[in-house]
């Protein structure tokens, strides 16, 4: 067997589908198809190992390669019954790249190799179609000139345009055989002028040049960037496939098309596809001609006109149907197949796992597992967890036209449409009158919560994926766009400029939180329906996963949503979020601005009953499940009154003068509130705050009580030292003893620590001496590890992505190398101290599949995410568990392939 | 030899000064003094091991101890020629604590043990002084009642007051023997009523009770707190010393006093001290009677009246002088000695290394090394590096009265006095007219720099030890107080409230930057004079140290100061600090607010000549030395124009409208600027900024050139990923090539990275692939590791210190456990990649001795600090190197002892 060259075709192949690493995705699949007897044009694949050898030797091809290529060509010639360079029975070949992972359009391709002055004439004669032959030849010169010889594509296009103008032609298809022949002479002259040499007439020389060019394209700038962005190592290399050309444009008995083994939109188990008679593959893509449906059954629904392939070419259709059936059965997945019919004969050019909608992915996975075609584990791997979220939210009708007013970050998925409002109160008022509204704000703060809840969707011009607006909207399941920097929102004037357009209050807009687009007018949306397939797949996921899934929730409404979506507890109850309604926020502000402990106690006394009844309601709904309550953690700036009106309200409630309160607020102003007087620092400075909260929790536990009390966990935020935890834990225990005595109840509870500061991660060994559990606050940990404020990142994160500094937003997907190491260190050191330390994560990463895979690797006990992410997390956890058990890489390829 | 008890006295001792760990400081020194023949009252010390055994057994004394105590008592009785409980020759003993490290006043003491109804009468007879005897007895009951029996001190005092009132006495000394006898009966009744038992008459029982009480006091709340604050392990335990009492208050041939072997203020090698005739030790301290000078020579200077001890008690003085000489020679350090003369006989009660001023410390260390009494290394260890800074700045006259208006953080040492101003421009104007001014601001920003420079001192009501005001003031050598939260500064009204007082513009105040006190009026200051001793000691330090010392400096003035103080290069040139004058700040603001690259380029073109000439001047003065230039790193908020007037100036300079500029500023507003668009993020977003700076640097290097070019290091701030460094390094190299070509110069340079983010520390291995050097930015690293903003820490850091969470401000002294581990990780991983990686630190910790000790341990190459800290750093580095070479613990004890 050859060292570098793997042949395929004629019912046999040297390789197979398992050799993706060596032959690339395309080469491996061609080999596989050939060996199971499908009609694949013969060819051979040069391995990725050759690519590596090529670069290792400073871009030199190894000596033995030429002989192997000759043998490969002989193999093609034998099966095709034609000769490379033979004017009478001329063989044309293509040279294509093919990496292990798909890198669409990043590398180069050369078609029609083998044509020269002599064989072009031969092809014209043999095919009886001179126009086709010379068009093919000029295409070769143009493509080869661009890719191999470095003559700009544009120069060729200009010559073509000039030729068309000279004849008054509008389309390329207007060009006659003679026109192409003349243009070929112009093209050859151009190549000579630009390179100093003639366009190579020797087919062997053409082939060598094309192979080199494809190898070189592995290192071109866009491929390098693409690899960096997608984490593809340069050492993987590309394979090069040389294959006999077939033509769908040689007459009325020729065609080309794309077919799916199942419907990629719905997942229905019926052949689906489009084709064009007498056309080339690129004509299907170019959209100049309207393709027709492949199968008769799909014709009405597809909205295409003209006869289906099933009716027009029954024999070829029969062959295609059989091939598709074999392919799906063989690959055990829905396939996306490119085919060509040349003079009545079907050729399969490519097969790959077909892209599909979330709905289709779900149905196909469940159907195939039901049919025994794939295992449950494989079915789980076939569904992209993030796509699941589409199923839970309304989506925009893909067929509807859309005009984009502005783009921002896709902060919370789903689609919604309504009238623009710029004020939370107005949102609430209009919603109360039954109007659908979209809230536009520069940014949101806790005082906007009621308006966010009333709105169908939220748009902000500032903030990132974990800004206040984003976090709250995801929690509520409202679609949300953040950081739409083009918007100039003038809340006072109740209008907003977006580029040239002005959006006034009351204008109707639509937002697509999945794409981050703000759209003009009302774009029709599609409501979600959860299918039985969803329930089935989730059941399999729950069986497969090791990680427990909890939700971040404060209200009974959110907790109910979380339970409905399968949450197994609450991993983060942000007590400050329980203070958002109009009445409570005043008391909270009163507490924060109080000048002394007495002032704080007066405000806290107002909050205690509310906290207690909220907790009691939460404990009842979560009966028997774990509930982790985080004590107050407000960065002060989110809670300070801002406007004079707000100050006046708080001043009156607190019984102080307006002036005194304003002075106090100025005193509390912080330059960097995220690094300020927040978290457990408040608990240390103002012990009465956490004491009130502990009392509310324990009294609520005593009140809710019952046969199935919650598994109560009290969590201290922003711990940097063990001593902080010790002090606060002792204070909580004092309240606990008092409440047990007062109520006569036994209330079991545990105290744990957030790990959200690098220092806490490093000192986890000693913190674990005092903590029963850790919950990683990956938002803050990312902020501090990177020194990037999530509120402010939007201003440069775009530049960073463009420069390739941040391949992915580290607030959306965990930075394994940095933040991940801190988590690993903390987990290791914490467990060293306390073997049964419970470990969880409650940052935004709890709902991100890639991050969940990491948490599975580190061996956390649970992840906690927003209620609408719970199904995503359940599936991602299942995939992570399967990957940990088996071969992680192959699973990933499965999803990418 | 006994297990738990070490005897001393009569010219012998079981222990010696080296047994500090076992016998405590006091016990070890008593043993040492006894064994070298000094007149020490006999006694014995119960070891710290007994203390540990006591606690290990749940506060039970081991069975063998009683017998050992009996033997110890017999030893004392034999030497003292008196009996414990013998009414005719009664022996009284004291029981005192004595830990390895000094814990002044934290633990308990009981005196006069052995007195009861019978021995008190005997002592009255034998001493012929009934008043003395009964006063001593009632003191025992009171002290024993309080310390051992838990009867409150207050209850005894009330009885005494009642007795005095009954007689119309004002002072305790008015009480007669009979009065004391009556009071004794009242005291005994009180004990009986409170405890249900009689005051113990058996001396042995008294002794056991006192020993237990002293052992128990090791775990009292204040001792536990003190140990935590000073890092003293509980396992060290306390020793207990039982010693025969001697009395300086038995008549005119008795006296008590304190003497120093050298002058503790000036360091002059002459006996110095005070004494009182017929008095007890506590009378010297209480200040009721004015003590007299010990030596005749010191009498005039001391300002005391009455005869010196040298004249009044020549024999005892002779004995004392001889003893002091022996002690200093023996301990090889200046000693602080307590003595008592009982009926003509001198007794030495305690010796320890004497506290001294910085000036005295320096002189004593150099003199002793000169005399061969100590080695140079020992001399270096004897001087506290931080105290050195006192010598460089004016200090307040310690004798002058002071009234404190407010307290803040001692942000920059030294003292200054002047008229209050609230505005930087006014500061400059008044200073230009020759007035001394003190600038009071809520906080400072770059626009205040000219005023800070013009002022003699700066006070801010906000900010911590590393706030803008603090950092800039230290760099300039101006005294500064920050975070004086009591001050309510109303800059508009030009007045400030401090508690009840109002400070108006023009009022004269004095600031003590060493203590953090703002004082009323003009308090006299003392100007610094650098002695030859300073130069000598610095020379020894330079010889002993391994770490190189650089300075943080931008101006030639600061660089000159740094060189004068011995800096070996510039470790941090903050280029944004070069933009502070009125004209440049406008261009800087113009650059920052520019809406596009063209706007930025226009502003940068204005800055280039200024940067170039500043760099060229710096390079000339630093010829031949390393200069590390940090590219622009402004947290945006420090540079944005704030007032309408400032916006108007910048708008005009930039040629944009006021409104447009105001909108742009609003767009640039950041919630957490410290975590925002700063550092190398600006360099990535706006490449033209760093390109301009690189050009200015290289052109300046070409211009300054010469035979001794600086060792040029360009440093990239706020790196989180290797990719950032790669991108910016490539850009710098492009500019470098261009400038070399344009100027025809060869310009050597290196590019390195700040390590100031936790992620950078963790990824140091790959960052080192691209960086030639690391400079740890410990300010930012502390901010991000702890999640604490240095601007905002003042609001809770006080609570944290009180709660024992932060034993020391981590911005002042490096947090070894957390931030230190990040530095260690980065140093290890960086050197793993690049063995010759140069490592330095340029945060505020570069001037802190304890932090420097850590940097020595980690093996950094250099530290960089503000110019006025350079001598501190040189000495601290020498001590650290010596400690690394020898026994670090012993050096520390040396300094503490």
């Amino acid at each position: 067997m050859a060292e570098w060259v793997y042949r395929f075709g004629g019912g046999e192949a040297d390789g197979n589908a398992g050799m993706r690493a060596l032959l690339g995705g395309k080469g491996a699949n061609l080999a596989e198809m050939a060996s199971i007897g499908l009609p694949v044009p013969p060819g051979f694949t040069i391995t990725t190992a050759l690519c590596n050898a090529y670069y290792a030797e400073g871009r030199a091809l190894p000596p033995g390669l030429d002989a192997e290529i000759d043998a490969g060509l002989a193999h093609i010639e034998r099966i095709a019954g034609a000769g490379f360079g033979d004017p009478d029975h001329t063989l044309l070949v293509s040279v294509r790249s093919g990496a292990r992972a798909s890198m669409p359009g990043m590398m180069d391709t050369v078609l029609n190799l083998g044509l020269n002055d002599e064989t072009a004439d031969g092809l014209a004669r043999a095919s009886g179609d001179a126009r086709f032959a010379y068009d093919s030849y000029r295409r070769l010169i143009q493509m080869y000139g661009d890719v191999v010889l470095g003559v700009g594509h544009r120069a060729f296009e200009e010559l073509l345009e000039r030729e068309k103008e000279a004849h008054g032609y509008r389309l390329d298809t207007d060009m006659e055989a003679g026109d192409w022949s003349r243009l070929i002479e112009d093209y050859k002259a151009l190549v000579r002028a630009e390179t100093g040499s003639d366009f190579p007439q020797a087919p062997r020389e053409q082939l060598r040049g094309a192979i080199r060019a494809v190898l070189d394209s592995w290192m071109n700038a866009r491929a390098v960037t693409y690899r960096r962005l997608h984490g593809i190592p340069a050492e993987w290399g590309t394979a090069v496939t040389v294959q006999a050309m077939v033509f769908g444009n040689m007459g009325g008995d020729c065609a080309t098309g794309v077919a799916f083994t199942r419907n990629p939109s719905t997942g229905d188990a019926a052949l689906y596809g489009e084709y064009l008679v007498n056309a080339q593959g690129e004509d299907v893509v170019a959209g100049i001609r309207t393709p027709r449906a492949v199968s008769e059954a799909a014709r009405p629904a597809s909205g295409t006109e003209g006869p289906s392939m099933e009716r027009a070419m029954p024999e070829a259709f029969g062959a295609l149907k059989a091939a598709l059936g074999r392919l799906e059965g063989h690959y055990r997945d829905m396939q996306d197949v490119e085919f060509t019919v040349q003079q009545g004969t079907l050729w399969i050019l490519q097969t790959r796992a077909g892209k599909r909608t979330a709905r289709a992915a779900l149905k196909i996975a469940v159907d195939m597992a039901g049919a025994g075609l794939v295992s449950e584990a494989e079915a789980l791997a076939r569904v992209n967890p993030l796509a699941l979220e589409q199923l839970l939210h309304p989506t925009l009708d893909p067929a509807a036209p859309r005009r984009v007013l502005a783009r921002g970050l896709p902060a919370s998925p789903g689609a919604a449409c309504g009238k623009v409002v710029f004020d939370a109160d107005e949102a609430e008022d209009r919603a109360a009158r039954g109007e659908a509204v979209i809230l536009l704000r520069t940014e949101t703060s806790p005082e906007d919560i009621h308006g966010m809840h009333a709105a169908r969707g939220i748009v902000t011009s500032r903030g990132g994926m974990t800004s206040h607006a984003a976090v709250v909207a995801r929690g509520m399941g409202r679609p949300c766009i953040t950081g739409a920097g083009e918007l100039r929102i003038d809340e006072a004037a109740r209008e907003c400029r977006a580029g040239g357009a002005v959006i006034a209050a009351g204008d109707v807009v639509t937002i697509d939180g999945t794409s981050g687009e703000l759209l003009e007018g009302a774009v029709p949306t599609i409501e979600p329906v959860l299918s039985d397939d969803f329930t089935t797949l989730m059941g399999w996921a729950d069986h497969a996963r090791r990680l427990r899934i909890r939700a971040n929730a404060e209200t009974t409404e959110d907790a109910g949503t979380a339970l409905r979506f399968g949450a197994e507890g609450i991993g983060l109850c942000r007590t400050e979020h329980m203070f958002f309604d109009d009445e409570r926020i005043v008391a909270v502000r009163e507490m924060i601005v109080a000048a002394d402990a007495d002032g704080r106690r007066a405000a806290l006394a107002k909050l205690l009953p509310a906290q207690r009844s909220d907790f009691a309601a939460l404990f009842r709904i979560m009966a028997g499940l774990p509930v982790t309550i985080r004590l107050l953690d407000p960065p002060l700036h989110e809670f300070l009154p801002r406007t004079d009106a707000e100050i006046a309200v708080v001043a009156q409630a607190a019984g102080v003068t307006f002036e005194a309160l304003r002075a106090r607020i100025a005193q509390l102003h912080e330059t960097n509130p995220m690094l300020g007087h927040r978290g457990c620092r408040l608990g240390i400075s103002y012990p009465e705050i956490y004491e009130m909260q502990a009392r509310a929790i324990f009294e609520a536990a005593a009140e809710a009580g019952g046969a199935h009390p919650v598994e109560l966990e009290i969590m201290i935020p922003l711990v940097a030292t063990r001593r902080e935890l010790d002090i606060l834990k002792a204070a909580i225990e004092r309240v606990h003893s008092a409440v047990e005595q007062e109520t006569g109840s036994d209330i079991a509870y545990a105290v744990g620590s957030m790990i959200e500061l690098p220092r806490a991660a490093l000192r986890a060994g000693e913190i674990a001496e005092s903590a029963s559990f850790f919950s990683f606050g990956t938002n803050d940990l990312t902020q501090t590890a990177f020194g990037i404020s999530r509120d402010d990142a939007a201003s440069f994160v775009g530049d960073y992505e463009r420069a390739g500094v941040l391949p992915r937003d580290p607030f959306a997907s965990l930075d394994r190398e940095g933040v991940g190491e801190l988590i690993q260190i903390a987990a290791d050191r914490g467990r060293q101290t306390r073997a049964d330390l419970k470990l969880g994560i409650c940052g935004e990463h709890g709902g991100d599949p890639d991050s969940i895979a990491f948490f599975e690797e580190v061996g956390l006990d649970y992840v906690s995410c927003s209620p609408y992410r719970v199904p995503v997390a359940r599936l991602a956890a299942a995939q992570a568990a399967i990957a940990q058990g088996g071969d992680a890489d192959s699973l990933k390829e499965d999803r990418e392939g």
Side-chain angles (χ1 to χ4, degrees), chain A residues 556-567:
Chain A
T556 51
E557 187 186 340
D558 286 350
T561 305
L563 288 173
R564 209 165 62 244
F565 287 148

Side-chain angles (χ1 to χ4, degrees), chain A residues 256-258 274 276 279-289 291 338 352:
Chain A
T256 191
V258 174
E274 295 175 332
L276 276 174
Q280 287 186 299
E282 59 198 66
D283 298 333
V284 181
V285 181
I288 298 167
R289 289 165 59 190
E338 291 178 19
R352 57 187 169 189

